[in-house]
Amino acid sequence: MHTQVAIIGAGPAGLLLSHLLHLRGIGSVVLERRSRAYVEQRVRAGVLEQGTVDTLVESGVGERLLREGLPHRGIELRYGGAGHRIPFEKLVPGRTITVYGQQEVVKDLIAARLAAGGDVRFEVDDVALHDIATDRPYVTFGGLRLDCDVIAGCDGFHGVSRPSIPAGALTEFHRDYPFAWLGILARVRPSSEELIYARNERGFALHSMRTPQISRFYLQVPPDDDVAAWPDERVWAELKARLETVPGFTLATGEILEKSVTPMRSFVAEPMRHGRLFLAGDAAHIVPPTGAKGLNLAVADVRVLTRALARFFADGSTALLDGYSDACLQRVWRAQHFSWWMTTLLHTFESDDAYGGRLQTSYLDYVTSSEAAATTLAENYVGLPYEEER
């Protein structure tokens, strides 16, 4: 078999890349080790930047997103017994966020690829990458061989793509945080129209949502915490303790559908390519979810890679491919800083003394009282314009 681009991973990065390449007449095969049902039901991020929404709509896969997504024109920072709204519509006119689950984006992309006759293969075993430093790379899987011109590694932090790069060819930057997030999905109407980021002496909490009937919550917990230690009664009691800190706010409760513990880490691999293998999304970088940047960074990577591949297949020029990593990493490191900043601003650190806590409060006071500081938060949260838009 032969294709122009072999794509490893059927998450948002891999599927969107395949879709955008198809629109430009470039062939691809997507290989995914999980089942279709698994990837369509896997609950992940749900906050889409303005640029991500625009990309999906402009590429023809945004109909359901526009119909069912929940646009948000601000967020609330809650601390010290008061809530403080960051108004996107005032600070960054024309740019906002939309709440629409990652699994819904995946469903839309799979439907679009299959409707167009795309080759997306699920439950693929024994994927291995070969000759990636040459101009004739290939992929083997399930006893088959797929020759290609380029391989796109879109298979996440634990995938096979990045480990296929020879030792020493990448520089890896790591930061692990001394806490995790307990994620809760509940069948209950949201108690707020917008996301609430709550700093509390008991630990951070986030009130989010997926639909008008489904809410999403996160609690800061120890990094080695076990889901079994969090029966429903304890979950709701802790959420109430951390969120019901302003007058008049009552947290609605209901049936809990899912619980999971997610470690908090930052990671970047440089460069984001080796020979004809190009990494995108979580295969190349991880951010703590506080800044809601993971899925959005993957979309930004794919946009850059699509333009570079379109140029390469049109006239053989490698100029944009050679600049792929540098172009992506500029945005990646900006998102890394923003995510680190949001995380350190809002979480409780065991190592902090009273001095550290006062510093957090001081900066929160600054962000919520200074239009300049609030604008910095807002423009990073809704997503900086893509390079070609500046």
XYZ file of all heavy atoms in Angstrom, residues 1 4 86 114 116 164:
44
model
N 0.843 -1.190 0.000
C 0.000 0.000 0.000
C 0.878 1.240 0.000
O 1.996 1.222 0.516
C -0.886 0.030 1.250
C -1.913 -1.096 1.311
S -2.946 -0.922 2.789
C -1.720 -1.206 4.073
N 0.185 9.286 0.509
C 1.075 10.437 0.633
C 1.442 10.702 2.090
O 2.601 10.954 2.409
C 0.418 11.676 0.001
C 0.338 11.606 -1.519
C -0.534 12.701 -2.105
O -1.753 12.668 -1.972
N 0.091 13.675 -2.763
N -14.091 38.021 34.158
C -13.188 38.498 33.115
C -14.005 38.554 31.832
O -14.306 37.523 31.225
C -11.978 37.567 32.954
C -11.256 37.368 34.287
C -11.023 38.114 31.894
C -10.653 38.632 34.878
N -15.276 9.571 6.809
C -15.902 8.382 6.245
C -16.870 8.747 5.123
O -16.966 8.033 4.118
C -16.620 7.600 7.345
C -15.707 7.039 8.457
C -16.521 6.250 9.470
C -14.593 6.181 7.877
N -16.495 11.068 3.067
C -15.693 11.417 1.894
C -14.872 10.233 1.380
O -14.038 10.407 0.490
C -14.762 12.580 2.234
N 9.876 6.624 18.414
C 10.522 6.121 17.201
C 11.687 7.003 16.765
O 12.480 6.611 15.899
C 9.500 6.036 16.059
O 8.456 5.136 16.377
